[in-house]
Amino acid sequence: ALAGTTLYSHGDRARGASVVTGVLDDCLCDIDSIDNFNTFKIFPKIKKLQERDYFRYYKVNLKRPCPFWAEDGHCSIKDCHVEPCPESKIPVGIKAGNSNKYSKVANNTKELEDCEQASKLGAINSTLSNQSKEAFIDWARYDDSQDHFCELDDERSPAAQYVDLLLNPERYTGYKGSSAWRVWNSIYEENCFKPRSVYRPLNPLAPSRGEDDGESFYTWLEGLCLEKRVFYKLISGLHASINLHLCANYLLEETWGKPSWGPNMKEFKRRFDPVETKGEGPRRLKNLYFLYLIELRALSKVAPYFERSIVDLYTGNVQEDADTKTLLLNIFQDTKSFPMHFDEKSMFAGDKKGAKSLKEEFRLHFKNISRIMDCVGCDKCRLWGKLQTQGLGTALKILFSEKEIQKLPENSPSKGFQLTRQEIVALLNAFGRLSTSIRELQNFKVLLQHSR
């Protein structure tokens, strides 16, 4: 299944090192080229872009109810989440008293402590300066004056709020157990075109299959059409990326009330080590690279949309807006220079009728996954889950709108293709997360070598 790939030397396998090299499936690209391109060209610039005002504030509705089940997760919002409140009222760090705060699930002290920690780490820091709040009103006026020709998710809901992404980094929150498992399980089991008779490797619900080691799953996957195989890889890559951020920004200890964050090797090995994951870890990491290539391709394709003079990255600060746009166009130039892009023309290329219904099926499955993100029982995890699925959704929208993008008028809005502020912010931040994941993977490789 892993064409042209040398994953480990014999010694590496024995020591259980998670080193991924070689050529990726379904595209002609090798991992070392992506590593170098990301480290030297993309990562420093995208990091800078994410600090600009246009890209650091994301409008999101974190209050949408889960449409699929009643959320009962241990350490989920209802049980022990500290509600964010305006800076003027109560300091964010003050914990609520715990009388009647917890469900029956959290009935012993250890669980109470875990729950309290998860609620504290998972809470959203909603601090915004008055200046920012005034600016957002101005931004809304500007955005409303633009013509929109696409569905505006829940951006206009009264419950949607701006969140400062720099104040709410994606990292370990203590959100785990059955609630977290159920979210990912329903994503894989119900939305990846998978029959119930085929079990995913390492699925705790799967019956014991002796020596199978997941091979029957991969035989099934290889037998799928390219589009459905790609869909599974994108979701697996997203899952791997999120797990990498949690391993790289783990709560290591809390001294004098100050948390210390850093890489957790044990957690990394548990999720990605070839021995501990029975060969699954390297496959997950390959899917992360595949997802990176898909989003990289989308950025190179959408460049003409932003190169038009009519498109402003508006925050009201003329000089900063111009600098932000220059930096963004600079990143687009880099993405175009990458020599080994994924060729999306191979997707949905069959007979017109079949291709159209497959594309629609693809879109609906993806929409379902973004709705499942409303079932995540931790605000911070939900924030980053929603942002990254919207970013990937926007990337797919771009890849499937090539003709519309080519026909864009220079000085007037296009009826054929349009991106909202929320989609633009999600697209670049989601790609920023993948770029960071690949950078963090380099750090873990170094740590692994040192630990031998």
Side-chain angles (χ1 to χ4, degrees):
L2 302 172
T5 302
T6 314
L7 277 178
Y8 322 98
S9 67
H10 178 71
D12 279 339
R13 187 179 286 282
R15 284 186 293 267
S18 300
V19 182
V20 199
T21 57
V23 180
L24 291 171
D25 311 332
D26 292 325
C27 52
L28 298 167
C29 185
D30 69 287
I31 282 171
D32 289 343
S33 304
I34 302 175
D35 283 343
N36 288 330
F37 177 75
N38 183 62
T39 301
F40 299 111
K41 283 204 162 178
I42 295 291
F43 180 70
K45 290 179 188 171
I46 199 103
K47 200 169 177 311
K48 223 163 136 186
L49 188 77
Q50 288 173 292
E51 289 164 6
R52 314 292 298 192
D53 277 358
Y54 187 93
F55 289 100
R56 76 181 274 185
Y57 295 108
Y58 177 60
K59 195 172 189 185
V60 62
N61 182 359
L62 296 173
K63 299 194 166 60
R64 281 175 74 160
C66 169
F68 301 108
W69 59 77
E71 181 49 64
D72 57 356
H74 171 195
C75 290
S76 68
I77 301 298
K78 288 193 181 87
D79 287 342
C80 53
H81 170 234
V82 183
E83 271 302 314
C85 46
E87 196 180 24
S88 55
K89 290 187 182 166
I90 310 166
V92 174
I94 292 178
K95 279 191 290 183
N98 63 7
S99 57
N100 301 324
K101 266 280 185 200
Y102 303 98
S103 74
K104 291 172 194 159
V105 183
N107 57 7
N108 67 36
T109 320
K110 173 77 179 89
E111 284 194 344
L112 267 177
E113 282 168 7
D114 284 356
C115 198
E116 211 162 88
Q117 184 199 45
S119 81
K120 198 165 76 173
L121 299 179
I124 291 287
N125 178 340
S126 58
T127 309
L128 296 169
S129 68
N130 287 337
Q131 206 180 347
S132 296
K133 286 174 189 164
E134 280 166 27
F136 297 150
I137 295 166
D138 184 33
W139 295 7
R141 265 200 298 271
Y142 179 84
D143 293 346
D144 286 341
S145 69
Q146 308 300 297
D147 287 326
H148 291 302
F149 300 98
C150 51
E151 187 189 350
L152 288 179
D153 183 33
D154 51 359
E155 215 177 335
R156 296 210 167 146
S157 152
Q161 64 186 101
Y162 270 103
V163 173
D164 183 338
L165 297 174
L166 298 183
L167 282 184
N168 292 282
E170 185 184 19
R171 58 190 180 195
Y172 174 79
T173 64
Y175 176 61
K176 53 192 171 191
S178 59
S179 176
W181 161 250
R182 181 160 55 169
V183 168
W184 280 111
N185 196 50
S186 60
I187 286 173
Y188 284 117
E189 294 298 316
E190 290 154 41
N191 293 287
C192 285
F193 302 95
K194 194 178 76 55
R196 294 227 176 263
S197 56
V198 175
Y199 289 99
R200 280 181 301 123
L202 304 184
N203 179 347
L205 303 181
S208 171
R209 296 181 311 272
E211 294 301 301
D212 182 346
D213 260 4
E215 282 315 307
S216 59
F217 173 79
Y218 288 103
T219 308
W220 165 78
L221 193 64
E222 286 308 306
L224 285 181
C225 64
L226 171 70
E227 292 82 358
K228 292 182 179 180
R229 201 161 61 238
V230 162
F231 193 94
Y232 171 79
K233 286 183 175 182
L234 295 179
I235 300 307
S236 168
L238 179 62
H239 196 180
S241 178
I242 290 171
N243 279 337
L244 251 172
H245 301 142
L246 307 188
C247 298
N249 280 305
Y250 206 86
L251 182 61
L252 300 175
E253 57 185 88
E254 207 159 335
T255 44
W256 304 102
K258 273 204 160 178
S260 154
W261 302 89
N264 183 327
M265 284 296 296
K266 195 176 163 195
E267 196 62 32
F268 177 78
K269 285 183 172 177
R270 191 173 76 76
R271 295 170 190 266
F272 298 109
D273 181 276
V275 176
E276 287 197 35
T277 63
K278 298 182 179 170
E280 265 305 281
R283 277 179 161 130
R284 292 170 182 169
L285 294 174
K286 290 211 147 204
N287 291 337
L288 161 67
Y289 280 95
F290 185 73
L291 172 59
Y292 179 90
L293 280 185
I294 292 280
E295 294 200 12
L296 182 71
R297 179 62 163 170
L299 292 184
S300 72
K301 288 275 180 183
V302 82
Y305 177 86
F306 289 94
E307 284 160 358
R308 299 174 306 149
S309 55
I310 190 175
V311 175
D312 280 330
L313 300 175
Y314 181 84
T315 67
N317 180 330
V318 179
Q319 188 52 52
E320 181 168 313
D321 293 351
D323 293 347
T324 304
K325 185 165 178 180
T326 303
L327 178 57
L328 181 64
L329 294 181
N330 200 294
I331 291 169
F332 287 146
Q333 280 310 112
D334 285 338
T335 65
K336 287 184 193 173
S337 74
F338 185 69
M340 291 173 282
H341 274 295
F342 173 76
D343 180 15
E344 74 289 348
K345 285 192 178 66
S346 51
M347 290 179 67
F348 306 113
D351 68 281
K352 270 197 170 163
K353 197 177 171 193
K356 196 179 174 190
S357 75
L358 185 59
K359 193 187 276 191
E360 181 58 10
E361 205 182 343
F362 204 91
R363 193 183 69 81
L364 291 174
H365 275 270
F366 199 81
K367 200 172 175 182
N368 221 19
I369 287 174
S370 54
R371 293 182 71 210
I372 290 173
M373 288 299 162
D374 285 317
C375 300
V376 174
C378 144
D379 269 358
K380 208 172 272 180
C381 317
R382 186 183 293 204
L383 163 69
W384 286 103
K386 286 180 78 124
L387 181 142
Q388 287 168 94
T389 43
Q390 185 177 26
L392 174 53
T394 306
L396 294 173
K397 169 179 163 175
I398 291 162
L399 291 180
F400 303 147
S401 306
E402 188 177 16
K403 285 187 186 125
E404 290 81 356
I405 293 171
Q406 283 168 352
K407 291 182 198 154
L408 288 170
E410 173 60 38
N411 294 313
S412 60
S414 147
K415 288 192 175 164
F417 181 84
Q418 189 80 4
L419 292 175
T420 67
R421 181 189 294 265
Q422 195 190 30
E423 286 174 316
I424 295 166
V425 173
L427 176 71
L428 272 302
N429 274 288
F431 184 67
R433 296 278 71 212
L434 297 176
S435 177
T436 304
S437 289
I438 285 174
R439 190 72 199 86
E440 283 164 349
L441 194 50
Q442 309 309 301
N443 297 340
F444 275 116
K445 282 181 189 174
V446 172
L447 290 170
L448 276 169
Q449 282 159 355
H450 287 169
S451 69
R452 287 178 196 169

